[in-house]
Every structure is written in C-alpha cells, then in structure tokens.
Amino acid sequence: MTHQLTLVDAVARHAGSTPSRLAIVDGDARITYSQLWQMVEDEAQRLRQEGVSKGQLVLVRGNQHVSFLVTCLAVHRLGAVVAPVGSDLPQQQFDALHQCCHDAALDEDIADVLFTTGTMGQQKGVMVSHTALLSDAENLIDAQGFTADTVFVITGPLSHIGSLSKTWPVLLLGGTLILLDGMRDLDAFFKAMAWPTGLLATFLVPTAIDMVLRFGQSRLAALANRIDFIETGAAAISEPTLQALCTTLPSSRLFNTYASTETGIVCTHDFNHGLRDPRCLGRPMKHAHVRITDDGRIACRGDMVMTGYLGQPALTRERFSDGWLVTDDLGEKDADGRLHFKGRQGEIINVGGYKVSPIEVEQAARGVPGIADCVLVAAQLPLGTVLKLIYTSDSGQPLDHRVVARQLAAQLERYKVPMCYEHVASLHYTFNGKVDRKAYR
C-alpha cells in the first residue's frame, strides 16, 4: 500500500479482481464493485461532457445514497477536487461557496475541500490531500482493524469527515458500506447491524448511542456477537453512556477517537478493553504525532493533517507552528502516552478567576439520575459571571435543582458547581451530533 494509490485506483482494482464482491448497500440496491466502477466511469463521462477537468473544484451536495459516493469518485477520476456540502445548505450559501470554488487555486495533490464552521462562525474550506486521505484510511485500518470483511454501517452525513472518513478504509480494502439516512428509523439501523455476513461496525455520535440504548438496548444486546466494533467521537461521551455500552456489548471493541477536519484521524482508544475514562482518546495512530503545547493545547503532525485553508494563507500560517498544526482543543498525555481531552480553549469559562471546562461539568451532570443531556454556559448576575446548567430530563419535567447541585458537589470542586439551572424540552445540536454551543452564547 503506497500513497500513490487513490481510492479510485482501489475501486478499479477491486472491480477487476473481485467484481462480484458487494461494495454498497443502499436501500434495496445491492451494488457490486464491478457495478460501482461502471457507475463511476459513466458519471465521469457525464461530468467531462459538462466541462469538469483536472484541478477544478467541484461543489457536490451531499446525500446518504450511492449517487453521492459515485459523484465524488468520478470527480477524483477526472483529477478534479470534491467539495461536499450538506444537502440542506441554503441556496444563497451554496451560491457563495460555488463562487469560492470557481476562483480557487489548488495544489495538484488536493483531493477534497471540506467546509467547516469555526467557533466564531467563520466558514472555512479545509484542503485535504490524497496523501492525507490515504493516511487517514491507513490509520483506521491499523488502529481499529478494518479488513476486507468489514461491513460498515454509515449513519451520519457523508458531507462531514466523521462518516465520510469511514468510507475510505472500507473502499480501500474492498469491504462493504451500508448507507442509512440518519438514525430516525431505528428499525432500519438494527436491520443493518444484523447483516448476515461480515464483521459489523459503525460510527455513532454520543447522542445517537444514548438514543439506541434508551429505545433499543435489548435489541443491541442481541447483536453483541455480531458487532465487531462501534466508534464514537465528535462530542464527549458521558460516563453512564460509556458504562452502559460496555455492559451491553461486552466483547465488542468500543472506540473513542480524536479527529477533526483539520487534523484528520489522530488517536483512538478501545474503552471496552482498557481504561474506561470518557476523556481518554488513546495513543496516536500509525501516521500521527501528538504533543501538548506550553499553553495546554493539542498539536498534531503527520501525513493526515490538512494542507491548509482554501484561499486563507494567513489563517493557515496561524494554525501551524514548526510543522505542527496547533488546535484549540485542550489536552494532556498520561504516563502511557494516551491523549486525554480537557475541552476547547474558546469554551473555557472564567468564574471568579477560576477556569472551568464545560466538558468536565457536563460529564458529571450527565451522570446525575434524571438528566438526559446538558450544556454548561456562562450567565451574568449582579455579583458577576456564574455557571449555568441548561438540561433536558428523562421525565420531561424539571428536577430539584438543590438535589442536582448536591450531587455535583460530591464530584466536583466547589467553584465548578453551577449556581443556576434551567430545564428545557430540548437542546440545540449541530448536524453532526454536537451540542451547538454557539446557540447559547
């Protein structure tokens, strides 16, 4: 396996060597590698006739169907660059990104431009090279044990790295992808996870894991001998959810992964066969290196790291220091070299001179009986800045806030215990399952 290989090359190779092998399941459609390659060739011909050429940046609306993957592979087949966006992106924003893509100047090795929104709401195009894409795939293969027998169930948006990155090792090795349109239909999810052949795996954000455990724990337990592994990430998993998942799937590998659009896939940790700490993200993968900066931030280096931000060289330079990509994530490494997540620099709340990580308080709060999910924010009172916990409950009714505060005080230092509490019917989430903190500022 070399970095000169591309995913398109891999699909073409599988189409020649194992043409009848199942590549993608999309609803009732069963698509072999031979059929997938022919679809890619036909789409590449169509795009060529429309004027798509080598080096061009092509904006593609994401969907959860084989047509999206075919278009992406066809664009790569032509030597062009894919810029996937959400299917529900408003037309005005789509047009603005389309103009940005039209004016783009790209290096020859760039494969994808993945758009992401930073903490200040600024839209950024992250340039990912073919080298980075293959390095991410090899990181996952080496650390999580993807094989040609892996059957990976895709539940999240393919326009986002969380789920898109899982297609890379599967297609590289000649495994099988099962495409689902989100987690709205639990019956469809459990049907997919009961696929009769292969090693079943999936990626679920913590909120999706909570939903599966709440409404289908017994059904998940019945599949314990079929599930090879489940990966989570994108947001912090709570201690109760982690423990419940381990109990439900005692022999499955359960990974917590550190990754982002800019860093690529960096670290992973099997918390079902190791330290059961929700903040533990494991050791760096095959192509990844990690260090902690003097101010506590996580810095990454390796072939999987982004090339830079599209059309923003100054911002790119700000992100890199001596070849290291410096993130806004705070972390620490333990004596065994495992990375532990401590929150994001821009989210730290200063209360009376003390710095509080929302992640730590939220994890403790999710362990309080009756709290379903929560977000910690800063609130302004006449006496100054205080901590406020906004939460949803299992019952749909407010809890006794004095009881909640006492239970948190048993786990946290006094200055970390919220002074204010607000019960809400639901929280705001981003499209990839994170609590949308910007909505609470």
Side-chain angles (χ1 to χ4, degrees):
M1 194 184 299
T2 69
H3 284 161
Q4 281 67 48
L5 181 72
T6 68
L7 286 183
V8 172
D9 296 331
V11 172
R13 182 186 63 195
H14 299 318
S17 61
T18 54
S20 61
R21 190 172 183 85
L22 187 62
I24 297 176
V25 177
D26 181 2
D28 293 330
R30 307 287 186 268
I31 299 154
T32 66
Y33 273 94
S34 176
Q35 292 169 328
L36 176 61
W37 180 244
Q38 188 59 56
M39 294 166 72
V40 170
E41 289 281 64
D42 291 345
E43 179 69 359
Q45 178 63 23
R46 184 187 70 81
L47 292 172
R48 187 182 293 110
Q49 291 173 350
E50 291 186 356
V52 174
S53 59
K54 185 175 181 179
Q56 184 175 339
L57 184 54
V58 181
L59 206 62
V60 181
R61 279 195 182 273
N63 60 56
Q64 297 304 108
H65 300 289
V66 65
S67 59
F68 172 74
L69 292 176
V70 166
T71 299
C72 292
L73 290 167
V75 172
H76 286 169
R77 177 85 170 97
L78 296 175
V81 179
V82 176
V85 296
S87 58
D88 58 350
L89 185 72
Q91 189 61 42
Q92 185 177 359
Q93 294 183 40
F94 184 90
D95 292 340
L97 289 181
H98 188 273
Q99 184 60 44
C100 175
C101 292
H102 184 269
D103 298 335
L106 297 163
D107 294 337
E108 185 175 349
D109 190 40
I110 301 301
D112 294 344
V113 172
L114 305 177
F115 287 99
T116 182
T117 303
T119 56
M120 302 305 293
Q122 180 185 17
Q123 190 82 7
K124 299 172 291 186
V126 177
M127 296 184 289
V128 180
S129 68
H130 285 285
T131 298
L133 187 151
L134 266 295
S135 296
D136 280 327
E138 291 178 347
N139 277 352
L140 290 166
I141 291 166
D142 182 71
Q144 295 183 347
F146 281 75
T147 74
D149 293 324
T150 296
V151 178
F152 203 95
V153 179
I154 298 289
T155 64
L158 284 169
S159 56
H160 182 265
I161 193 172
S163 291
L164 181 62
S165 63
K166 306 311 177 293
T167 69
W168 302 336
V170 173
L171 293 177
L172 187 64
L173 294 173
T176 301
L177 296 167
I178 300 180
L179 306 182
L180 299 182
D181 190 10
M183 290 291 290
R184 290 183 292 272
D185 187 346
L186 276 183
D187 289 337
F189 171 75
F190 284 114
K191 180 180 178 181
M193 295 303 293
W195 193 258
T197 60
L199 301 171
L200 274 294
T202 192
F203 171 83
L204 298 173
V205 296
T207 51
I209 294 175
D210 285 335
M211 182 177 68
V212 170
L213 290 173
R214 182 173 301 181
F215 299 109
Q217 187 168 9
S218 61
R219 297 174 71 179
L220 188 65
L223 298 171
N225 293 329
R226 297 283 301 116
I227 296 175
D228 181 22
F229 71 86
I230 292 177
E231 182 195 43
T232 192
I237 187 171
S238 69
E239 177 76 24
T241 298
L242 181 150
Q243 297 294 348
L245 191 60
C246 292
T247 300
T248 306
L249 300 174
S251 61
S252 299
R253 294 175 298 138
L254 304 173
F255 292 105
N256 197 13
T257 297
Y258 179 68
S260 72
T261 312
E262 287 94 336
T263 64
I265 317 299
V266 181
C267 296
T268 198
H269 174 65
D270 179 3
F271 55 79
N272 206 18
H273 299 90
L275 181 66
R276 290 192 179 180
D277 182 345
R279 291 172 292 182
C280 183
L281 301 167
R283 298 178 182 86
M285 295 180 178
K286 178 178 180 179
H287 295 290
H289 303 274
V290 172
R291 70 177 180 89
I292 306 301
T293 65
D294 292 340
D295 60 353
R297 289 191 286 172
I298 299 171
C300 305
R301 186 176 67 187
D303 287 342
M304 74 292 161
V305 169
M306 71 168 183
T307 300
Y309 293 113
L310 179 68
Q312 295 180 287
L315 182 59
T316 299
R317 287 192 295 271
E318 288 178 14
R319 274 293 176 210
F320 285 91
S321 175
D322 295 327
W324 291 85
L325 188 150
V326 181
T327 74
D328 288 327
D329 295 327
L330 302 175
E332 62 185 11
K333 294 176 77 172
D334 63 23
D336 293 321
R338 294 172 301 202
L339 178 66
H340 292 251
F341 184 66
K342 298 181 65 178
R344 287 184 64 82
Q345 188 177 56
E347 294 168 356
I348 297 298
I349 302 173
N350 193 317
V351 181
Y354 292 102
K355 297 185 185 303
V356 179
S357 167
I359 299 293
E360 180 183 4
V361 179
E362 289 162 3
Q363 285 180 337
R366 292 187 186 105
V368 173
I371 290 184
D373 204 357
C374 60
V375 59
L376 187 75
V377 300
Q380 299 301 321
L381 294 181
L383 53 83
T385 300
V386 299
L387 299 176
K388 177 180 180 180
L389 188 75
I390 302 173
Y391 70 95
T392 59
S393 65
D394 294 330
S395 65
Q397 299 298 318
L399 304 178
D400 186 327
H401 296 160
R402 292 169 299 180
V403 173
V404 174
R406 284 198 297 271
Q407 293 186 344
L408 290 177
Q411 305 178 62
L412 301 168
E413 296 164 274
R414 181 177 299 176
Y415 69 88
K416 296 178 182 177
V417 178
M419 180 175 290
C420 301
Y421 298 83
E422 180 184 353
H423 175 262
V424 294
S426 62
L427 295 174
H428 297 281
Y429 293 94
T430 65
F431 68 94
N432 61 336
K434 297 181 184 179
V435 173
D436 187 1
R437 296 186 185 277
K438 291 193 291 293
Y440 294 97
R441 289 178 181 163

